[in-house]
Amino acid sequence: MATNDRHVRSLIAGAMANPGTADACCGHVEVAFRSLQTARRVPGASLDMDLAAAEHYLFARWLVCAGAVSTMQMHALIVGYDAKKWIDRVRGNPNAVATTANPVSPPDRDVVRWGLAGMSEGSHDHDRCNAAVRPPLWQKLEVVFGPGKGVGPY
């Protein structure tokens, strides 16, 4: 199912318009990500592909901006997560990576495209306002996502 890019941009802009007290570099992107993450955790919202695309965009933008991961690793995470969803569906367990009681959104090339756009924008943000932080070439997934199932608090 194709995303409505105009709506995705609107969701991102709306989330970014409320930075709270976060820093103006990467902190406001995290605040925006967390607001959309909360919205996707509402029962039924996890399957809204526009919301999924916007959340994935902000997730990638935030972690790359913050220097938590390299663009190379984020690229692998974005593409790999979509591939994992395809594999889980073929194996008959489409909710294998669920972090809530909500179903996992299906694999979707538009969501991947938005995630990659967030990665790219996060790289520009990093270079503009956070260049002193050097991202590791590759970070352990437990560090990126937290301990446990490999998906942690995100």
Side-chain angles (χ1 to χ4, degrees), residues 4-20 28-29 31-33 35-36 50-51 53-55 57-58 61 114 121:
N4 177 332
D5 287 349
R6 181 176 292 165
H7 187 231
V8 174
R9 279 190 288 276
S10 174
L11 290 167
I12 292 166
M16 293 287 287
N18 300 304
H28 73 289
V29 181
V31 169
F33 161 68
S35 72
L36 294 187
D50 291 348
L51 187 55
E55 183 200 25
Y57 169 91
L58 288 170
R61 184 174 174 181
W114 276 101
E121 190 65 27

Side-chain angles (χ1 to χ4, degrees), residues 32-56:
F33 161 68
R34 297 289 182 195
S35 72
L36 294 187
Q37 178 186 47
T38 299
R40 281 197 73 211
R41 290 184 173 179
V42 171
S46 66
L47 299 178
D48 179 330
M49 298 311 286
D50 291 348
L51 187 55
E55 183 200 25
H56 285 228

Side-chain angles (χ1 to χ4, degrees), residues 54-147:
E55 183 200 25
H56 285 228
Y57 169 91
L58 288 170
F59 175 75
R61 184 174 174 181
W62 163 49
L63 287 181
V64 171
C65 176
V69 297
S70 65
T71 55
M72 179 184 77
Q73 183 172 11
M74 183 53 71
H75 190 278
L77 289 171
I78 292 165
V79 173
Y81 183 57
D82 199 66
K84 170 84 168 101
K85 288 196 227 181
W86 279 107
I87 292 166
D88 291 344
R89 285 184 177 278
V90 168
R91 291 182 174 167
N93 188 6
N95 296 313
V97 293
T99 60
T100 69
N102 289 339
V104 172
S105 61
D108 187 277
R109 68 178 180 205
D110 284 340
V111 173
V112 169
R113 178 174 52 84
W114 276 101
L116 293 173
M119 175 196 73
S120 178
E121 190 65 27
S123 179
H124 294 304
D125 292 341
H126 177 270
D127 293 348
R128 177 181 51 79
C129 63
N130 202 25
V133 174
R134 306 293 302 170
L137 182 62
W138 195 266
Q139 186 73 270
K140 289 182 180 180
L141 294 181
E142 293 79 14
V143 174
V144 177
F145 296 113

